[in-house]
Amino acid sequence: MTFGVVMLVHAEFDRAEQVIRHWVGGGCPVVVHVDSNVDVDAYGGFARSLADLETVQFCQRFRCEWGMWGLVEATQAASEMMLRNFPEVSHVFLASGSCLPLRPVSELRAFLSNRPKTDFIESATTADVPWTVGGLDRERFTLRFPFSWKSRRKLFDRYVRLQQVLRVKRRIPAGLVPHMGSQWWCLTRHTLGAILNDPKRRTYDRYFRRVWIPDESYFQTLARLHAKRIQSRSLTLSKFDFQGKPHIFYNDHAEILRRSECFVARKIWPNAGLLYRVFPRQPDSQLTDAKPNTGKVDRIFGRALERRTRGRPGLYMQSRFPNVARANGITAVPFSVMQGFDCLFPNFEKWLSGQTGAQVHGHIYAKDKAHFAGDAPIFSGALSDSAVLRDYNAAGFLTNLVWNARDTHQCIMFGPDDTQSIRWLLAHDTNARVWVITGAWSIPLFLSGKPAGKVRAEAARLQRIEHKLLKVLRAPDAHARIQICTLADFLENPRAILQEVVDEIAGHKAKEVSTLPEMADLTGLAEFLQELKNQGMHPFLTGDILADAEKRPPPTSEPKSYVVGHK
């Protein structure tokens, strides 16, 4: 037995000639269709270049436009010529001028000989697979598409919309269940002949003539009526991106193509000289019976597709900016935000860095400048400590900081006196670990030595700002890991809470907290807060701090639960 090749060509005739000679050299007759858009001189030169090959024939030419009926007409005409003029052909393999055989003809012939009654055509119902790109799946069979999507896009869209508004619905011919799949198939003589000689062919042709992209549904649907055994896959390796456009294979895809063990691949870049030199590979007795295995290729392209559409977590680039819906997360890796801790512990940053190994910054959103670790003026990635530059895009500043130092856990101090425009980011970023001691802003006011009456307005302002932050952090759609406790709860057992902070940041490397950072002298804090109340400013976020709370030693037993909000 042998198989014949129907080849659809519209450009790159030198490469098409090279592949045709390969097919003929392997004993395969070839019927060529050349797009009628190709000018007469180019067509004539191509035909003359193959005149020495007796088993190469050219069929009637049709105008082939993407998504239109001409591609089916061209395939029908070439297939009819193949079945009529080459009676020894048992299978017909459909290819294009940009297809490249990867394996010897003898291996494909042996593969088909072992499966003499099997048709290889990707064929699936629209209800079963979400392949379509562009919003039309079932509708491509129930609406009319007389206009080209590529060359007459406005007419195409308006006519589709008109039919949808008028609720137009075409009737699918009786007995047909629309199927879709790759244009590139390999059908047995029996199945292809039955499709071309079907008594209802005129009805089917009239219906599919106004179906959108009929080359991916005509044979795929009719094969279901006539095939004895279908393997719903194509023997041609072709990959498509998320926009429905075919991937092009270049020289550096040689190893991927080799590992696929597919018989044919498309689309090949016409200037990929290396691919045209190394493929088809030489016959190998150990690989003669190898079955096409696209699993490895699918995984590689799947990762590439995810990288292109989602990107790397926390990395922003022009292809996805500023569409938030296309961002893969907000920041790259987990980071921590501490509010109120440095108010209690003057040397907290140094202590936390020593306990966890994290890079601990000061208030990078302070009004005067960004206080980087070590008070550096420039941080990784050329991030300046300038408050003006930082606040131009405050969220982008944080995502850049985390991205540029993603090999080390970043921890920043935050407070109600800082720039607050990153509140939404902190609440919604799954990488954020937010720890808040509410009311801790009262400690610097207390330590300033000013009477309550002098700082009353400032205390009220800071409390309002912190209250807004808490509302954002406690929102139902907040996804960060958020832990909130009042100042009063923290003072009851600071050791246990600091231990949880260290465990969260350091992970499995965490060690037991043996020494607490030195705490500010809070003697008289309760009286200060009471005086604020007396002045009419109620510091409710601090919790109920007793007059002797600052004099009690921290308990050694396990604390009661202090987490007010936790996502």
Side-chain angles (χ1 to χ4, degrees):
M1 62 83 69
T2 189
F3 65 91
V5 178
V6 166
M7 182 176 287
L8 308 180
V9 182
H10 72 279
E12 307 300 340
F13 298 111
D14 54 339
R15 289 302 188 190
E17 178 187 353
Q18 182 179 344
V19 173
I20 290 171
R21 290 187 177 277
H22 165 74
W23 290 123
V24 173
C28 299
V30 179
V31 174
V32 183
H33 175 273
V34 179
D35 192 337
S36 64
N37 288 318
V38 176
D39 64 68
V40 176
D41 292 339
Y43 171 71
F46 180 52
R48 287 192 297 272
S49 69
L50 296 169
D52 60 310
L53 301 177
E54 295 181 358
T55 56
V56 175
Q57 298 184 5
F58 289 80
C59 71
Q60 179 185 354
R61 299 171 65 191
F62 296 89
R63 184 172 184 268
C64 296
E65 191 169 4
W66 183 89
M68 302 301 287
W69 174 248
L71 284 167
V72 178
E73 281 187 303
T75 305
Q76 289 174 330
S79 298
E80 288 172 337
M81 178 176 284
M82 176 66 71
L83 297 182
R84 181 176 61 250
N85 296 346
F86 300 99
E88 74 279 10
V89 165
S90 64
H91 290 74
V92 175
F93 193 102
L94 180 61
S96 77
S98 60
C99 288
L100 174 65
L102 303 180
R103 296 170 61 178
V105 172
S106 58
E107 294 186 7
L108 178 53
R109 181 182 292 113
F111 180 85
L112 297 176
S113 296
N114 294 332
R115 301 159 181 83
K117 297 181 179 181
T118 301
D119 294 282
F120 297 91
I121 181 168
E122 198 171 59
S123 174
T125 62
T126 57
D128 296 331
V129 291
W131 286 339
T132 55
V133 176
L136 298 172
D137 42 33
R138 182 69 181 177
E139 284 182 306
R140 67 176 61 195
F141 299 107
T142 59
L143 301 181
R144 289 179 174 82
F145 298 90
F147 304 111
S148 169
W149 181 84
K150 281 199 169 183
S151 61
R152 308 179 76 181
R153 181 65 181 273
K154 288 185 178 180
L155 275 176
F156 180 96
D157 291 339
R158 290 172 182 173
Y159 193 61
V160 168
R161 182 58 183 156
L162 176 63
Q163 294 177 86
Q164 291 171 333
V165 170
L166 297 177
R167 298 186 178 181
V168 172
K169 189 173 183 180
R170 297 182 69 193
R171 184 165 56 186
I172 300 174
L176 283 190
V177 178
H179 284 67
M180 294 175 55
S182 170
Q183 176 186 357
W184 313 107
W185 41 254
C186 180
L187 296 177
T188 62
R189 168 181 283 271
H190 167 269
T191 299
L192 185 56
I195 291 173
L196 297 174
N197 298 307
D198 193 303
K200 297 182 179 179
R201 175 178 164 181
R202 183 171 297 178
T203 300
Y204 297 151
D205 286 5
R206 184 168 55 250
Y207 168 73
F208 278 100
R209 186 180 293 273
R210 291 294 178 255
V211 167
W212 192 36
I213 319 181
D215 53 290
E216 294 182 356
S217 58
Y218 181 84
F219 292 96
Q220 293 75 5
T221 298
L222 298 182
R224 291 289 176 177
L225 298 180
H226 303 290
K228 295 180 179 179
R229 183 183 300 115
I230 285 181
Q231 279 201 20
S232 184
R233 61 167 170 151
S234 174
L235 299 181
T236 299
L237 175 64
S238 59
K239 307 299 295 182
F240 295 85
D241 64 14
F242 71 103
Q243 295 176 315
K245 298 179 180 179
H247 280 290
I248 297 176
F249 292 101
Y250 298 92
N251 284 335
D252 50 358
H253 291 117
E255 181 61 20
I256 295 176
L257 296 177
R258 184 192 65 79
R259 291 165 60 187
S260 75
E261 289 299 341
C262 289
F263 293 105
V264 177
R266 86 173 295 271
K267 273 185 157 182
I268 307 298
W269 184 44
N271 294 323
L274 174 65
L275 298 184
Y276 281 95
R277 287 196 301 272
V278 300
F279 293 111
R281 63 166 173 75
Q282 294 300 312
D284 187 333
S285 59
Q286 295 181 343
L287 299 175
T288 298
D289 297 327
K291 295 181 180 180
N293 177 17
T294 62
K296 296 178 181 178
V297 180
D298 291 340
R299 285 191 290 272
I300 293 172
F301 275 84
R303 290 194 295 269
L305 175 62
E306 183 176 10
R307 177 62 60 83
R308 181 179 178 185
T309 55
R310 300 194 68 214
R312 284 172 282 181
L315 178 63
Y316 294 79
M317 53 195 300
Q318 56 85 19
S319 60
R320 285 175 293 276
F321 184 81
N323 191 341
V324 176
R326 291 188 179 180
N328 185 4
I330 299 176
T331 54
V333 293
F335 66 100
S336 297
V337 178
M338 319 293 296
Q339 177 157 316
F341 289 82
D342 59 324
C343 296
L344 275 162
F345 307 104
N347 200 29
F348 183 71
E349 292 96 325
K350 183 177 180 180
W351 176 87
L352 184 61
S353 179
Q355 292 287 328
T356 63
Q359 188 166 31
V360 183
H361 303 277
H363 288 256
I364 65 169
Y365 284 95
K367 295 294 176 61
D368 59 334
K369 68 173 186 176
H371 294 266
F372 296 124
D375 208 28
I378 301 293
F379 187 66
S380 300
L383 287 178
S384 168
D385 65 356
S386 167
V388 175
L389 295 177
R390 177 201 66 200
D391 292 342
Y392 180 78
N393 185 350
F397 183 85
L398 180 57
T399 58
N400 278 334
L401 183 145
V402 175
W403 171 264
N404 290 316
R406 59 192 179 278
D407 55 337
T408 304
H409 190 99
Q410 301 297 303
C411 186
I412 66 174
M413 301 297 112
F414 196 65
D417 208 27
D418 294 344
T419 297
Q420 297 293 304
S421 55
I422 63 166
R423 289 183 300 208
W424 185 92
L425 184 155
L426 297 181
H428 290 78
D429 186 10
T430 55
N431 280 323
R433 278 74 173 130
V434 183
W435 300 77
V436 180
I437 303 175
T438 66
W441 42 263
S442 62
I443 296 175
L445 296 179
F446 162 68
L447 296 177
S448 70
K450 297 179 181 179
K454 292 287 187 180
V455 297
R456 172 183 174 278
E458 179 66 6
R461 184 183 72 87
L462 296 176
Q463 182 164 253
R464 284 195 302 269
I465 295 173
E466 185 170 76
H467 185 57
K468 289 181 180 179
L469 173 65
L470 296 179
K471 288 179 67 176
V472 174
L473 296 180
R474 287 171 172 153
D477 59 345
H479 303 300
R481 292 177 60 86
I482 302 167
Q483 305 224 26
I484 303 170
C485 70
T486 65
L487 178 59
D489 287 335
F490 182 86
L491 291 176
E492 284 191 15
N493 198 344
R495 182 184 299 274
I497 297 176
L498 290 173
Q499 182 67 62
E500 290 202 27
V501 171
V502 171
D503 291 344
E504 175 73 26
I505 296 175
H508 66 279
K509 300 180 293 183
K511 56 186 177 181
E512 184 177 355
V513 174
S514 57
T515 305
L516 297 181
E518 182 179 355
M519 186 183 292
D521 183 5
L522 303 182
T523 305
L525 176 62
E527 289 79 2
F528 173 77
L529 296 176
Q530 183 60 50
E531 185 59 26
L532 281 177
K533 294 180 184 179
N534 297 340
Q535 294 284 335
M537 188 271 155
H538 185 70
F540 62 91
L541 292 181
T542 61
D544 189 12
I545 298 179
L546 302 177
D548 60 346
E550 63 272 14
K551 300 177 183 178
R552 285 202 306 264
T556 56
S557 59
E558 289 298 318
K560 67 181 182 181
S561 176
Y562 67 92
V563 178
V564 178
H566 181 204
K567 298 287 183 186

